[in-house]
């Protein structure tokens, strides 16, 4: 528990440092706080509106104070005003946040669902045709850029066979489940396949090593069925790299999300961030970055805590630490 | 502490051959060539006996015992000969046949208790899983049996141990757990591959005593692999001495020590530590190197390191034959101990240069 709190503390520091750096970078070089306020509000604004913005966001104070007020806004979901969309950023981003978060979760889940059985079977049947096939598949899955894979899936499943919409709105599972699945399937696959490729390679290598360890041979000598040896004994002892990679590959995944959201016209944080940067929509960019960092922090926390779930020795060491 | 007699041994014949090896060969395909790790072993192991398998490092003890179990790598292994277990041929048996024997009929204790238990599974479950899978015991039954087994292998407060993970136990305790796992389903034969090398000396003696006791009480057959003839003397009925993948001397334990025939066995005996030695005395290792198992020398494989070797030993390979005065004592040697005077080793032979 103390360990968990420590980690949460560390990750909060990461969150603060990154969002502060972004705030400074975006507000730097505006040439005075009235000019900055004008930029943040965008378009034609009256002097009165500028004055109000300066007061509200404390633009005449130093960056640290500005940041603290921004942070206060963030935790109360007061994220400022989107100049490009003439609406509050919170309202703009709420549905987009869910689109990206769901895409990320689906991509990791589907990636693991594809990778774990593939890696276990490949390791078990090492050097057989099925192992080779798996290696080729993960090589391709790893090497193909998300944009190419996405376009390919779009062409094949939407334009050719008309199975899924090529572009669709972000419909949420709590709205219409069937339509949600249909709209999210191809984008999810586009993100999940490269993830699956990474996971498969890592897990296969770990499984191959684990299967040679003494305790696995002992499980054989006890007469345990192959299925039990693979899934109960070997798999759990091979999870370290794959769990770590869920955290480390998240950056690539979020990069892919930008591509996928744009390609499949899903309104998400990724695509919104690009649009907002181009239109110099400062509040929105700031909030998008904050959300992305938030997702990264949460996933890394989950990854970190799952080491304890997997390995009692880690649990022990952390309890003593 | 009263120890319930295990039930599983009922109804089995008490005597007769259990494991019959005929010209067993286990070779490994490697880049260097075929490694003849076990190269023509013929041996019969009687029911209920304790048989020692001794030899230097690399002589093939582990490979032989794993060959008997059928626990060899799936690929790159060339096997021939015959291994019969209770009459069933195992050499080319499908894995399903082996799996039906593993745990139930033959069980194994490995050398290193630190690496042989699953680090992420509770000790109790590791003992209980063969009980549940092989004997169909319910969760509660398996728990009771597990506690009984842990008591039997003298683990204190067994009910608490069940919930512990291997890292929470000492090496000796882990080896006791390994023995409990091996004994769980009442196997006919137990193969123990250097079960105490990884433990400290006082614990070694306890573990060996435990194994011997279990063997007697359960009328189990024990194959005890070791490089220590001292262990053999105390804990076995018969011994097979291995060198370069072959059995070079085989005898009832008492006969082997009373009248050693193979010069190699004699050399091994000189390397037994005695109680008079101060602790950590370096053992008198046999000079020279073990033979190349890819291209074994012609003649006797030990000839290059043998103080008694003559021309014939380098040219012609002796086969394992019964001694004229003791039909149970077999050895493979042209000039057994006591028949010729030792000579200087041939320095020209590169294999003799240690
Ligand atoms: N999988 C393998 N591939 C190639 N060679 C092997 C393999 N396993 C064992 N060997 C070789 O077979 C020979 C016999 O090895 P083995 O492990 O049976 O010796 P040992 O008598 O058990 O020795 P130790 O006392 O050191 O345990 C050694 O030379 C070893 O290098
Ligand atoms: Mg060995």
């Amino acid at each position: 528990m103390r360990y968990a709190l420590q980690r949460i503390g560390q990750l909060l520091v990461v969150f603060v440092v990154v969002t502060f750096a972004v705030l400074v970078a975006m507000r730097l070089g505006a040439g005075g706080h009235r000019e900055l306020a004008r930029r943040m509000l965008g378009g034609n604004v009256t002097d009165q509106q500028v004055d109000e913005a300066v007061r509200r966001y404390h633009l005449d104070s130093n960056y640290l104070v500005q940041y603290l007020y921004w942070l206060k806004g963030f935790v109360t979901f007061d994220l400022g005003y989107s100049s490009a969309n003439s609406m509050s950023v919170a309202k703009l981003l709420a549905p987009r946040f869910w689109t990206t978060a769901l895409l990320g979760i689906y991509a990791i889940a589907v990636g693991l669902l594809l990778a774990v059985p593939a890696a276990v079977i490949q390791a078990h049947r090492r050097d057989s045709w099925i192992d080779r096939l798996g290696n080729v598949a993960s090589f391709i899955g790893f090497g193909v850029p998300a944009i190419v894979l996405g376009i390919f899936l779009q062409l094949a499943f939407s334009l050719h066979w008309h199975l899924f919409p090529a572009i669709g709105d972000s419909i949420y599972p709590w709205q219409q489940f069937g339509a949600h699945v249909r709209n999210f399937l191809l984008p999810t696959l586009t993100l999940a396949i490269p993830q699956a490729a990474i996971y498969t390679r890592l897990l296969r290598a770990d499984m191959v090593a684990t299967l040679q360890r003494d305790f696995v041979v002992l499980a054989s000598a006890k007469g345990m069925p192959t299925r039990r040896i693979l899934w109960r004994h070997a798999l759990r002892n091979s999870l370290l790299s794959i769990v770590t990679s869920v955290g480390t590959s998240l950056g690539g995944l979020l990069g892919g999300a930008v591509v996928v959201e744009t390609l499949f016209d899903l309104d998400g944080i990724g695509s919104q961030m690009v649009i907002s940067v181009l239109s110099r929509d400062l509040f929105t960019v700031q909030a998008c970055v904050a959300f992305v960092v938030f997702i990264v922090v949460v996933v890394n926390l989950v990854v970190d805590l799952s080491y304890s779930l997997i390995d009692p020795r880690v649990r022990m060491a952390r309890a003593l630490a | 502490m009263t120890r319930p007699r295990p039930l599983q041994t009922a109804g089995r014949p008490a005597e007769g051959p259990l494991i019959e090896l005929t010209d067993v060969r286990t070779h490994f395909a490697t880049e260097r060539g075929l490694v003849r790790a076990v190269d023509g072993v013929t041996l019969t192991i009687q029911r209920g006996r304790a048989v020692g398998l001794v030899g230097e490092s690399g002589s093939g003890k582990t490979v032989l015992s794993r060959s008997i179990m059928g626990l060899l790598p799936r690929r790159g292994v060339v096997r021939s000969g015959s291994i019969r277990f209770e009459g069933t041929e195992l050499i080319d048996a499908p894995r399903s046949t082996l799996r039906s024997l593993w745990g139930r009929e033959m069980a194994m204790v490995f050398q290193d208790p630190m690496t042989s238990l699953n680090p992420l599974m509770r000790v109790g479950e590791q003992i209980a899983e063969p009980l549940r899978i092989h004997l169909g015991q319910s969760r509660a039954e398996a728990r009771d049996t597990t506690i009984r087994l842990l008591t039997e292998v003298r683990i204190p407060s067994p009910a608490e141990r069940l919930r512990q993970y291997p890292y929470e136990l000492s090496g000796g305790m882990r080896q006791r757990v390994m023995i409990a796992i091996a004994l769980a389903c009442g196997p006919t034969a137990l193969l123990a591959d250097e079960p105490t090398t990884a433990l400290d000396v006082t614990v070694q003696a306890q573990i060996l005593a435990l194994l011997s006791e279990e063997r007697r009480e359960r009328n189990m057959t024990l194959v005890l692999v070791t490089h220590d003839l001292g262990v053999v003397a105390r804990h076995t009925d018969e011994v097979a001495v291995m060198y370069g993948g072959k059995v070079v001397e085989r005898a009832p334990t008492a006969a082997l020590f009373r009248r050693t025939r193979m010069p190699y066995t004699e050399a091994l005996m000189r390397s037994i530590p005695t109680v008079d030695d101060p602790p950590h005395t370096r053992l008198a290792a046999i000079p020279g190197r073990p033979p190349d198992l890819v291209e074994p020398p012609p003649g006797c494989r030990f000839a290059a390191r043998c103080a008694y070797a003559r021309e014939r030993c380098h040219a012609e390979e002796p086969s394992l034959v019964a001694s004229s005065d003791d039909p149970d004592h077999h050895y493979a040697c042209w000039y057994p101990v006591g028949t010729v005077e030792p000579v200087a080793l041939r320095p020209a032979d590169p294999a003799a240069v240690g």
Side-chain angles (χ1 to χ4, degrees), chain B residues 61-62 111 193-194 225:
Chain B
K61 307 179 299 287
T62 295
Q111 175 171 342
D193 186 356
E194 312 212 25
V225 174

Side-chain angles (χ1 to χ4, degrees), chain A residues 124-127 212-226 228-229 232-234 236-238 310-313 315-316, chain B residues 66 69 71 74-75 95 99 102-104 106-108 110 112 115-121 125-127 129-130 133-134 165 167 178 181:
Chain A
H124 177 49
R125 300 232 166 275
R126 182 152 67 103
D127 294 339
Q212 286 162 4
R213 286 171 61 182
D214 281 351
F215 72 84
V216 172
V217 181
L218 181 77
S220 282
K222 281 156 81 175
M224 295 299 104
T226 307
R228 191 172 169 86
I229 294 173
R232 189 72 184 76
H233 286 273
R236 192 163 173 196
N237 278 282
S238 312
I310 294 169
D311 194 333
R313 288 165 298 183
R315 208 157 34 214
M316 184 68 181
Chain B
R66 294 214 174 187
M69 279 292 277
L71 280 176
R74 278 165 192 244
R75 285 156 315 143
R95 222 171 152 79
R99 198 170 300 119
W102 286 339
R104 273 177 270 217
M106 36 187 199
M108 200 159 184
F110 293 164
D112 189 354
T115 60
S116 303
L117 292 170
N118 184 339
L120 304 187
M121 197 187 268
E125 190 178 354
Q126 299 195 50
I127 305 173
E129 61 177 358
I133 290 174
H134 296 321
Y165 288 93
Y167 79 92
M178 291 272 290
I181 291 173

Side-chain angles (χ1 to χ4, degrees), chain A residues 48-113:
Chain A
Q48 205 183 348
Q49 282 170 312
V50 169
D51 289 338
E52 202 200 310
V54 169
R55 218 176 321 116
R56 181 152 173 209
Y57 303 115
H58 300 264
L59 298 180
D60 48 355
S61 314
N62 63 34
Y63 287 132
L64 193 60
V65 173
Q66 290 183 33
Y67 177 76
L68 289 175
Y69 279 102
W70 173 84
L71 197 61
K72 182 176 162 226
F74 183 79
V75 294
T76 55
F77 290 103
D78 174 10
L79 303 172
Y81 175 76
S82 166
S83 57
N85 298 279
S86 310
M87 66 195 291
S88 90
V89 173
K91 214 163 169 189
L92 176 75
L93 289 188
R96 286 174 166 78
F97 171 76
W98 284 114
T99 298
T100 303
L102 287 176
L103 265 182
I105 291 167
Y106 293 166
I108 291 172
V110 172
L112 289 173
L113 235 48

Side-chain angles (χ1 to χ4, degrees), chain B residues 220-240:
Chain B
M220 199 169 57
T221 307
L222 176 67
V223 177
L224 184 61
V225 174
T226 173
H227 52 250
D228 184 349
L229 273 165
V231 168
V232 164
R234 281 186 294 274
H235 297 283
T236 65
D237 306 316
E238 284 161 47
V239 197

Side-chain angles (χ1 to χ4, degrees), chain B residues 61-328:
Chain B
K61 307 179 299 287
T62 295
V63 175
L64 181 61
S65 55
R66 294 214 174 187
S67 299
I68 296 173
M69 279 292 277
L71 280 176
L72 292 165
R74 278 165 192 244
R75 285 156 315 143
V77 180
V78 187
R79 309 182 64 185
S80 67
S82 159
I83 299 176
R84 288 179 166 273
F85 183 88
E86 293 191 306
T88 311
E89 177 60 55
L90 299 186
I91 279 265
D92 45 15
R95 222 171 152 79
S96 58
T97 307
L98 292 172
R99 198 170 300 119
S100 70
L101 296 175
W102 286 339
R104 273 177 270 217
E105 292 293 325
M106 36 187 199
M108 200 159 184
V109 174
F110 293 164
Q111 175 171 342
D112 189 354
M114 295 304 177
T115 60
S116 303
L117 292 170
N118 184 339
L120 304 187
M121 197 187 268
R122 290 179 202 278
V123 166
E125 190 178 354
Q126 299 195 50
I127 305 173
E129 61 177 358
L131 296 168
R132 300 201 10 105
I133 290 174
H134 296 321
L135 307 181
Q137 295 191 351
S138 71
R139 198 174 287 275
E141 283 168 338
R143 193 188 136 86
D144 290 346
T145 316
T146 304
I147 291 180
R148 212 194 63 196
L149 283 162
L150 287 176
T151 314
E152 199 173 322
V153 297
R154 308 238 157 75
I155 288 185
S157 46
E160 284 131 59
R161 300 287 171 180
L162 292 184
R163 296 191 48 75
Q164 293 190 319
Y165 288 93
Y167 79 92
E168 297 171 272
L169 305 180
S170 67
M173 284 297 155
R174 288 191 215 187
Q175 198 59 307
R176 285 171 197 272
V177 169
M178 291 272 290
I179 293 171
I181 291 173
L183 295 177
C185 298
T188 316
L190 179 65
L191 290 88
D193 186 356
E194 312 212 25
T196 59
T197 356
L199 306 174
D200 50 32
V201 187
T202 47
V203 184
Q204 285 187 2
Q206 293 166 5
I207 295 288
L208 288 166
L210 174 67
L211 279 173
S212 290
E213 188 181 323
E214 290 294 341
R215 180 189 66 81
R216 274 194 304 276
E217 286 191 7
R218 292 166 174 263
N219 190 30
M220 199 169 57
T221 307
L222 176 67
V223 177
L224 184 61
V225 174
T226 173
H227 52 250
D228 184 349
L229 273 165
V231 168
V232 164
R234 281 186 294 274
H235 297 283
T236 65
D237 306 316
E238 284 161 47
V239 197
V241 180
M242 289 195 73
Y243 185 76
K246 289 178 178 283
V247 170
V248 292
E249 184 161 15
R250 168 156 67 83
T253 307
L256 186 86
F257 283 90
R258 200 182 328 115
R259 190 141 189 260
T260 309
R261 307 312 309 266
M262 249 310 269
Y264 169 62
T265 313
E266 189 189 44
L268 277 180
M269 285 189 181
R270 274 202 297 267
S271 64
I272 306 178
T274 67
V275 271
D276 305 330
D277 285 334
H280 308 296
T281 308
R282 256 194 84 110
L283 301 181
I286 306 173
R289 249 186 282 148
D292 181 8
L293 296 176
V294 176
E295 282 176 78
C300 174
R301 292 185 180 181
F302 187 59
R305 301 164 71 187
C306 181
Y308 304 94
R310 301 289 193 271
E311 280 310 316
R312 189 181 184 188
C313 301
H314 295 281
E316 237 179 297
E317 186 167 11
S319 54
L320 192 68
V321 291
S323 169
S324 54
D325 49 8
D326 181 357
D328 288 336

